[in-house]
Amino acid sequence: MNTVEAGELDLRRYLRPGDRIVIGQACGEPSTLIEALTAQGRAIGDLSAFVATSFSGIFTPESTESFALSSMGAIGSLRTLTKAHRLGIIPCHVGRVGPMIEAGTLGCDVAFVQVSPADENGRHSFGLIGDHTRAAVDRARVVIAEVNEQVPYTLGEGLRAEEIDCAVRVSRSPVQVPPAAIGPTDEKIAKYVASYIEDGAVLQVGVGAVPDAVLRLLGDRRDLGIHSGMIGDGVVDLIQAGAVTNARKPIDPGVTVTGALIGTDRLYRFADRNPGLRLCPASYTHDPATLARLDGLVTLNSAMEVDLTGQVNAEQSGPAYLGGTGGQVDFVRAGARSRGGHAAIALPATAKGGTLSRITARLSGPVTTARSDVDVIVTEFGAAELTGCPLAERTRRLIAIAHPDFREDLDRAAFEIQRRGF
């Protein structure tokens, strides 16, 4: 292993023209390595990179001119790249990224990862991200690790010193995602979602205003569990309040399981060497066989729009690509099939200042989650339970939770479905 300071890193020593790089994502982004790539990539030539999500703000249309960047969606700051037509979208579920890397379908010649300082045994933690990091390290010809003094040591998979080809020592604040501002609409949606969460439920929640608003309503619950692709600061509140104990989980009892920490220093300090929290790869967090063992699983995901039969678009609004497939389908299927569980898709009833209905006759983008998988759709006007519901009745239930200003038009659009029954 070669160890260098940030200013000494010369990527030409490790990268070859045509190399494909997989970069740690979300708050696990190795910011120093990404900055080096944007500065030095042109001198190497013909490079490409994959990052699943990004919140660092380093990737811009200008900074990525020296290499090609792809992702599974336009999540976080990657949205600016889709607007500039600078991001290649690979449609895939989170749980498939690791296997695609392992199989070579998603090329990985070089792995850029961020890790914590080593423990007494010389083992580094992956810190803030599990997901497909291990798969990238195992597949890569070259592993370059940003060893960040400010990254917490979390329990889960890690990296041995001998697996690192180049260690870059830094001390900088990891990427942080502050809690979103919660508005009145978010609070109304959250009340409907929270009504499905009982004592002992196991939760999958993302980050954002609605998930945070839901978590704030659960302080009186008992023995909640967490098994999620990601968690934010709001989970810390519930654990410290005693509402989340993970005591009733049939697997991983007593342990909050997640694939990513997306939050602030408060979450990162809480996670540091915490035996009650474990970061796992997506091959575990999103695995159907694993999820099938969780009774009372309540999953919460978002959407851009839902059509009158229950099809969900969480990716694209007309020509604008704004989201991604993520882990939605994995968790929707799991929550809908869980004994005593539910899968909620939550979204405001309108967009663009109330001028556009998000309950719509036809989707303006792709189908992310099929109507055959959908369970409950929630807006600020209520919850539409769709499992086992005929298409004609689905239209009526979804219109009932649309904004009143659009219900008459939606009624007309639903006429043929209601007449035919399909």
Side-chain angles (χ1 to χ4, degrees):
M1 178 179 69
N2 186 33
T3 301
V4 301
E5 301 297 328
E8 302 170 349
L9 176 62
D10 184 355
L11 291 177
R12 291 173 297 181
R13 294 186 57 188
Y14 305 97
L15 274 61
R16 304 169 182 169
D19 270 347
R20 301 159 298 177
I21 309 163
V22 173
I23 301 174
Q25 65 147 334
C27 297
E29 287 179 78
S31 299
T32 301
L33 304 186
I34 298 171
E35 290 167 349
L37 177 63
T38 64
Q40 303 175 30
R42 192 180 303 279
I44 301 169
D46 196 28
L47 297 175
S48 61
F50 173 86
V51 64
T53 64
S54 176
F55 298 100
S56 67
I58 301 173
F59 293 113
T60 66
E62 295 74 26
S63 70
T64 56
E65 289 180 352
S66 61
F67 59 93
L69 187 66
S70 63
S71 179
M72 64 179 186
I75 299 171
S77 58
L78 295 179
R79 191 171 293 184
T80 61
L81 295 178
T82 60
K83 291 180 180 179
H85 305 153
R86 291 284 306 162
L87 186 69
I89 300 296
I90 301 174
C92 63
H93 304 302
V94 170
R96 288 293 302 150
V97 175
M100 288 167 62
I101 293 172
E102 292 167 357
T105 310
L106 182 59
C108 180
D109 303 302
V110 180
F112 281 4
V113 298
Q114 177 182 248
V115 297
S116 72
D119 64 10
E120 59 276 8
N121 298 313
R123 180 182 180 277
H124 300 267
S125 160
F126 284 132
L128 303 175
I129 197 79
D131 287 351
H132 51 271
T133 313
R134 182 74 244 179
V137 166
D138 289 342
R139 182 74 185 190
R141 181 191 77 247
V142 174
V143 176
I144 304 180
E146 183 170 320
V147 183
N148 190 344
E149 290 183 354
Q150 299 185 42
V151 166
Y153 192 101
T154 54
L155 304 188
E157 294 183 319
L159 188 63
R160 300 186 308 276
E162 58 267 27
E163 296 180 284
I164 301 173
D165 295 289
C166 178
V168 183
R169 295 182 298 194
V170 305
S171 180
R172 61 189 293 177
S173 177
V175 174
Q176 300 197 33
V177 179
I182 297 173
T185 297
D186 305 313
E187 292 177 340
K188 291 176 183 177
I189 294 172
K191 288 180 181 179
Y192 289 111
V193 174
S195 68
Y196 289 92
I197 301 172
E198 300 179 351
D199 290 352
V202 180
L203 307 181
Q204 174 263 322
V205 292
V207 295
V210 171
D212 285 350
V214 171
L215 294 175
R216 289 186 183 185
L217 297 176
L218 303 180
D220 62 343
R221 304 302 199 273
R222 294 291 175 265
D223 291 332
L224 296 176
I226 302 288
H227 183 107
S228 188
M230 64 185 77
I231 61 171
D233 288 18
V235 169
V236 178
D237 294 328
L238 284 182
I239 294 174
Q240 292 180 337
V244 169
T245 65
N246 295 290
R248 301 191 199 177
K249 284 167 64 177
I251 57 174
D252 307 308
V255 178
T256 290
V257 169
T258 186
L261 303 178
I262 300 180
T264 69
D265 280 334
R266 179 168 183 253
L267 175 63
Y268 305 161
R269 289 193 299 269
F270 177 82
D272 189 42
R273 299 183 183 272
N274 186 339
L277 187 149
R278 184 164 70 246
L279 263 73
C280 296
S283 58
Y284 184 77
T285 57
H286 293 67
D287 175 54
T290 301
L291 294 171
R293 299 172 64 188
L294 295 169
D295 292 341
L297 177 64
V298 179
T299 67
L300 174 60
N301 288 275
S302 62
M304 293 179 183
E305 56 185 1
V306 177
D307 78 6
L308 288 173
T309 70
Q311 297 184 119
V312 175
N313 168 20
E315 301 172 60
Q316 185 172 339
S317 179
Y321 201 97
L322 304 171
T325 49
Q328 181 175 119
V329 175
D330 296 320
F331 282 111
V332 167
R333 287 177 174 171
R337 296 173 182 179
S338 173
R339 183 171 58 184
H342 280 288
I345 298 285
L347 71 165
T350 61
K352 295 187 176 180
T355 63
L356 183 68
S357 177
R358 296 174 73 167
I359 304 296
T360 181
R362 294 177 182 83
L363 298 182
S364 65
V367 176
T368 306
T369 298
R371 64 192 188 184
S372 53
D373 290 321
V374 166
D375 182 24
V376 182
I377 305 295
V378 182
T379 73
E380 67 268 34
F381 295 101
E385 298 183 356
L386 303 185
T387 297
C389 191
L391 289 173
E393 177 60 22
R394 284 183 173 216
T395 66
R396 288 185 278 268
R397 294 187 182 189
L398 286 165
I399 291 169
I401 65 168
H403 192 286
D405 289 351
F406 297 95
R407 291 177 188 171
E408 185 175 345
D409 288 341
L410 290 170
D411 272 327
R412 285 194 290 267
F415 176 77
E416 277 302 307
I417 297 175
Q418 294 174 0
R419 183 182 69 82
R420 297 189 308 250
F422 58 91

